[in-house]
Amino acid sequence: MSSLCVLPPECLLQPFTVPQRLMLGPGPSNVPARITAAGAQPILGHLHAETIEIMNQIKSGIQYAFQTQNRVTLAVSGPGHAAMECAIFNSLEHGESVLIAINGIWGERAAEIAERIGAKVNTLVTSAGGYFTNEEIEQALDKYRPVVFFLTHGESSTGVVHPIDGIGDLCHKYNCLFLVDSVAALGGTPICMDEQGIDIMYTGSQKVLNAPPGTAPISFSERACQKIFNRRTKPISYFLDMNLLANYWGCDDKPVLNIIKKEVAEYFHKGLGEMGLKLFVQDKKARLPTVTTIVAPPGYDWREITGYIMKTYNMEISGGLGPSAGMVLRVGLMGCNSSKANVDKVLEALADALKHCHKSRV
């Protein structure tokens, strides 16, 4: 062959410069230096003894973060969506009944995934910013008799943290597995998997855990393992088949994730109130501390506000998502980004944006 038809692209002949930004959206969050340094370590083979040791440390770290002693605890290679699919693909079979609580976009996506594998999808729905009482959940469990109940712990599209206490007991009363999505909440608001009777729980690395995207911790209780390891049919996904993943990970022992920090949401909420801005979630106990949803200031275009802050302060905040689209601004305070210094920065940026962005007559 005498010549190349497709020439090397000019853009790949020089390094790409990545800007340094303060990531205060609903995720990803900034990654601490010691974690980026760990990512620069030499590559190991997937069956090297050191790799097995690292995997065991990761498992122990996840057990600590989840507050569980579950032997089947590991990290899925992929984003939070991969863990969501892993949980649903393994716990449900075609034709089985599932109950999904929808108070934002993540419940909607779980329902679509379950529908795609042929499960009988039943939903419990409330408006953006709302959550469900245990009485409402029990009524739905009694009505639909599902094998799995799905609930989003931290609904980042609306800024709601859902109460967990008592729900596990209700699920087990109706012979149902309790599946919890804690992608935007774990590490920023308390949750104890074993104590609260959660059967399946997962999170994402790029939120409060302050790691690069692409790793999704997940854990299964013994009750869940009885279900998923005694299926009539194989899971629809080979890559996410827990029979294979659990075997590869070994699923036993010990410590690594140790920079989960206390959040400073109340300090931020107080500052917003002093500026005259309103919080979208009215019930204080239902506010997700890792992602604050602010009612979009009347008369302003939220896109202009977020664009001004990015351009002027090199700082990311976001607009709404799914049911909250156009209604809110979202600010993430996760892990190492959760500091009063960063709160002061975002309050200053918001105040400046409201002065300089166009305001129409409402």
Side-chain angles (χ1 to χ4, degrees):
M1 197 173 290
S2 59
S3 63
L4 293 173
C5 296
V6 180
L7 299 177
E10 290 291 329
C11 62
L12 297 184
L13 299 179
Q14 51 191 346
F16 184 83
T17 302
V18 179
Q20 180 66 42
R21 289 185 174 140
L22 183 55
M23 305 292 287
L24 296 184
S29 56
N30 292 100
V31 177
R34 76 173 184 83
I35 294 180
T36 56
Q41 293 291 314
I43 294 295
L44 294 169
H46 69 291
L47 294 179
H48 288 186
E50 296 86 354
T51 301
I52 304 303
E53 181 182 355
I54 291 169
M55 292 169 71
N56 284 334
Q57 291 182 0
I58 289 170
K59 285 185 286 184
S60 293
I62 298 170
Q63 287 171 328
Y64 161 67
F66 283 25
Q67 286 297 287
T68 184
Q69 296 182 21
N70 292 339
R71 61 184 177 86
V72 181
T73 298
L74 51 87
V76 172
S77 298
H81 273 97
M84 178 185 281
E85 292 200 337
C86 181
I88 293 172
F89 287 171
N90 283 278
S91 63
L92 285 172
E93 296 192 63
H94 187 280
E96 288 186 326
S97 175
V98 60
L99 175 62
I100 297 179
I102 300 178
N103 65 331
I105 196 168
W106 305 114
E108 292 174 358
R109 291 189 182 176
E112 181 172 347
I113 291 169
E115 186 177 74
R116 289 187 180 204
I117 64 170
K120 184 179 178 182
V121 179
N122 307 288
T123 58
L124 188 60
V125 182
T126 190
S127 59
Y131 63 95
F132 305 97
T133 65
N134 285 12
E135 291 73 22
E136 290 171 326
I137 292 170
E138 181 168 18
Q139 288 173 9
L141 289 170
D142 187 32
K143 177 179 180 181
Y144 298 114
R145 300 288 168 152
V147 297
V148 174
F149 173 53
F150 174 95
L151 182 72
T152 307
H153 179 212
E155 179 49 75
S156 61
S157 70
T158 61
V160 170
V161 61
H162 202 289
I164 298 293
D165 286 346
I167 299 176
D169 290 339
L170 290 176
C171 288
H172 302 154
K173 175 181 176 181
Y174 291 92
N175 197 29
C176 170
L177 296 177
F178 186 23
L179 165 54
V180 173
D181 175 319
S182 194
V183 170
L186 185 121
T189 188
I191 190 165
C192 298
M193 187 171 185
D194 290 356
E195 184 180 325
Q196 293 177 299
I198 299 168
D199 294 298
I200 307 171
M201 188 166 78
Y202 61 86
T203 191
S205 56
Q206 77 278 17
K207 303 284 187 174
V208 190
L209 298 181
N210 291 144
T215 304
I218 191 168
S219 184
F220 297 83
S221 71
E222 287 301 317
R223 184 183 286 102
C225 288
Q226 285 294 316
K227 171 82 166 67
I228 66 178
F229 294 144
N230 292 284
R231 295 170 56 96
R232 300 186 307 275
T233 60
K234 292 182 179 181
I236 196 169
S237 170
Y238 180 90
F239 179 68
L240 298 174
D241 186 337
M242 278 307 302
N243 282 280
L244 303 175
L245 288 174
N247 178 262
Y248 176 64
W249 276 82
C251 291
D252 42 85
D253 286 341
K254 292 191 171 156
V256 80
L257 305 173
N258 60 4
I259 60 167
I260 299 175
K261 291 185 62 178
K262 187 177 180 180
E263 303 297 328
V264 291
E266 289 185 5
Y267 178 75
F268 183 38
H269 296 170
K270 182 173 182 290
L272 291 170
E274 291 171 352
M275 289 175 57
L277 294 174
K278 296 181 179 179
L279 293 172
F280 181 68
V281 181
Q282 296 183 18
D283 187 342
K284 287 186 178 182
K285 69 177 184 292
R287 291 171 183 164
L288 179 60
T290 54
V291 180
T292 295
T293 42
I294 308 163
V295 175
Y300 290 92
D301 182 343
W302 68 267
R303 297 177 186 84
E304 187 181 3
I305 293 174
T306 58
Y308 179 87
I309 290 174
M310 175 66 81
K311 182 178 180 180
T312 308
Y313 291 88
N314 209 23
M315 179 192 301
E316 180 193 48
I317 68 169
S318 302
L321 178 68
S324 67
M327 301 168 63
V328 301
L329 297 171
R330 294 185 297 156
V331 178
L333 296 168
M334 302 178 178
C336 69
N337 282 355
S338 180
S339 67
K340 289 187 176 181
N342 281 341
V343 168
D344 291 339
K345 288 178 184 177
V346 75
L347 289 173
E348 177 189 356
L350 282 168
D352 190 35
L354 294 179
K355 289 179 181 177
H356 288 90
C357 292
H358 175 72
K359 182 180 182 182
S360 61
R361 293 182 178 177
V362 181

